[in-house]
Amino acid sequence: MLMRAMLEQLTALAGQGPVALARVVDTTGPGPREAGAAMIVTRSGEVVGSLSGGCIEAAVVETARQVLATGQAVTDRFGYADGDGLAVGLTCGGEMEVFVEQVGPEHLPLLSELHRRITEGSPVALATRLDATAEWKLSHTGTTEPWHGVDRDVLALLAAGHSGVVGADECEADASPRPRVFVQVFATPARMILAGANDFVRALSRTGRQLGYRVTVVDARETFATPARFPSAHEVVVDWPHRYLRTEHEAGRIDGRTVVCVLTHDTKFDVPTIVAALSITEIAFVGALGSRRTHAERTDRLRAAGVTESSLARLKSPLGLDLNARTPDETAISIAAQILADRGNASARPLDRTDGPIHR
C-alpha cells in the first residue's frame, strides 16, 4: 500500500505512541511494489499495509520490532529467493531495499502539514535520511533553505513528480558529505507527450518512462497507435495530436512540467501539432525531430500558419544533442539529454570541459 493511502492511519497510530514505518525506497528488476510502498507495525504487533504481497513481510516485522526497541532506523535489502527454499526474499527475481524507522508523536506536525498539502493538491516531497537518524524534511515548490547538500536534488524530483534516492558518499572536495536520502514525492508525474507512432517514439517512450515521466503516445492512425507497439507508454491515444493537445489543455491536464516532442515526419501532422503546442504557454519544452532542411521548410510553414518569431524561438528543432545518434535508441538518448539540460538550465557540455561543482 502506498504511504499516501495510509497517511491518516499513520498519523492516528503515531499519535498514540511510536510505531515502525517500513517503506520501499529502491527497487531493481521486477518487483511486486514500487518505491513508496509502506507498511506500519505497532508495538502490539498490528500490521497495516504490505510491501511485497507476502514474500518479505515476516522479516520486516522482525526488523520493525528491533527498531521499536532501539529507536534506531534500519535498512533491509532483499534479493531473489527460490520459492521452494527457506531464504527470505523475492521470488519474482528483483531486488528491494526497505527502510524501517520509528515514527511517533514528534512527527505529528510534519505529518499534518504533509496531509494538508496533499489534500489541497499541492505537490510536496518528504525527504528522509537513510541512516540511523531517519531525519525528515518536507519540501515544496518555493522551498529555498539548504538541507545536507541535497535540497536541489529533492526539488528536481518533486518537479518531475518522481520518487527516488538522491545523495551519495562522494561529494565535491570543498563540500560536506551528502547523505543518501529517499525522496517520496506526492504529486502527479510530469508528462511527456509524443506525437507520432514510429520506432523513434517507441524508443523515446521507453527512455521517458525511465526518467519518471508519464508518457502518452498520440497518433491519428489507428493501425499504428496501439498499446502493443508502445509497451512502455502509460497510454496510447488515437487522435490528431493537435486536437489532443488542445483538449488536454482545456481539461487542465497540461502544466509547466509538460514536455511535447513531435516525431511524426509528416507535414499534415507535425505543423498543426507544433502550432498547438507553441500556443500553450504552460508547456515547458516543445521539440520536433527532423533534418536541418526539414526544419527550414517546416519553419516557413509555421510562419505561414501565423506562428510568431517569439513563439518559434521556443521550438527545439532539429531536436536532440549532437551525439552523432543514428538508431532510434541513440536518438532517444540524444533527445532526453537535451530535455534534461534544458529543464535543469545546464550547459550539456562534457564535465571534463567544465569547472565548478558537478551538482549545482
Side-chain angles (χ1 to χ4, degrees):
M1 182 183 295
L2 289 176
M3 185 172 164
R4 180 196 297 262
M6 58 199 305
L7 189 56
E8 291 187 9
Q9 289 173 289
L10 175 62
T11 302
L13 290 170
Q16 300 169 18
V19 298
L21 172 65
R23 283 183 288 167
V24 176
V25 298
D26 196 18
T27 61
T28 302
R33 294 290 188 273
E34 62 187 76
M39 184 173 79
I40 303 169
V41 180
T42 68
R43 286 192 181 278
S44 64
E46 178 186 358
V47 177
V48 180
S50 66
L51 299 179
S52 70
C55 302
I56 63 171
E57 269 73 3
V60 174
V61 168
E62 287 303 313
T63 299
R65 289 172 178 157
Q66 173 190 336
V67 169
L68 287 172
T70 65
Q72 300 294 301
V74 173
T75 299
D76 278 341
R77 292 178 176 86
F78 300 95
Y80 171 71
D82 186 342
D84 295 326
L86 297 177
V88 177
L90 303 172
T91 58
C92 56
E95 298 178 357
M96 180 183 292
E97 182 177 348
V98 177
F99 187 69
V100 188
E101 62 190 299
Q102 181 171 287
V103 178
E106 68 275 13
H107 292 89
L108 292 182
L110 189 146
L111 288 171
S112 177
E113 176 68 8
L114 176 61
H115 184 267
R116 182 185 71 80
R117 288 187 174 274
I118 292 174
T119 302
E120 292 176 349
S122 175
V124 62
L126 174 62
T128 306
R129 284 186 58 153
L130 298 179
D131 56 23
T133 67
E135 181 185 354
W136 283 8
K137 172 70 163 60
L138 209 60
S139 295
H140 51 84
T141 303
T143 300
T144 57
E145 62 268 21
W147 192 68
H148 301 302
V150 299
D151 41 292
R152 293 193 178 186
D153 297 329
V154 172
L155 291 176
L157 285 179
L158 177 60
H162 180 54
S163 298
V165 175
V166 301
D169 294 331
E170 294 186 18
C171 60
E172 304 299 332
D174 59 347
S176 300
R178 303 186 331 138
R180 285 186 79 232
V181 172
F182 174 56
V183 184
Q184 184 159 7
V185 173
F186 299 86
T188 57
R191 297 191 65 185
M192 176 180 284
I193 301 174
L194 306 178
N198 52 44
D199 290 342
F200 293 96
V201 173
R202 184 183 302 112
L204 187 54
S205 67
R206 182 166 54 247
T207 302
R209 182 163 189 152
Q210 290 173 337
L211 292 176
Y213 283 96
R214 179 171 181 82
V215 180
T216 300
V217 172
V218 55
D219 192 287
R221 299 168 298 177
E222 187 173 0
T223 301
F224 298 103
T226 65
R229 294 190 70 232
F230 303 96
S232 296
H234 292 87
E235 56 185 352
V236 179
V237 178
V238 178
D239 197 355
W240 285 84
H242 69 280
R243 185 168 59 189
Y244 174 78
L245 285 177
R246 288 173 179 148
T247 299
E248 290 298 286
H249 182 232
E250 292 169 359
R253 291 189 287 266
I254 287 177
D255 61 24
R257 303 172 299 154
T258 303
V259 169
V260 175
C261 294
V262 182
L263 314 173
T264 50
H265 294 302
D266 190 329
T267 300
K268 68 176 178 291
F269 285 105
D270 57 16
V271 169
T273 304
I274 295 170
V275 170
L278 292 177
S279 71
I280 302 172
T281 58
E282 294 95 327
I283 293 178
F285 183 98
V286 180
L289 193 65
S291 66
R292 297 192 188 281
R293 184 177 68 179
T294 297
H295 169 66
E297 294 174 349
R298 187 165 52 207
T299 299
D300 290 339
R301 292 189 176 95
L302 290 170
R303 289 192 179 100
V307 178
T308 65
E309 295 301 318
S310 61
S311 292
L312 281 174
R314 295 178 55 212
L315 177 63
K316 311 299 181 182
S317 177
L319 181 58
L321 298 184
D322 180 16
L323 305 182
N324 196 27
R326 296 185 180 277
T327 69
D329 285 323
E330 291 172 346
T331 302
I333 297 299
S334 168
I335 295 170
Q338 183 179 13
I339 292 171
L340 288 173
D342 186 85
R343 300 296 295 127
N345 294 317
S347 69
R349 296 173 58 203
L351 290 174
D352 64 358
R353 298 183 185 178
T354 64
D355 54 19
I358 293 174
H359 298 101
R360 299 188 301 282

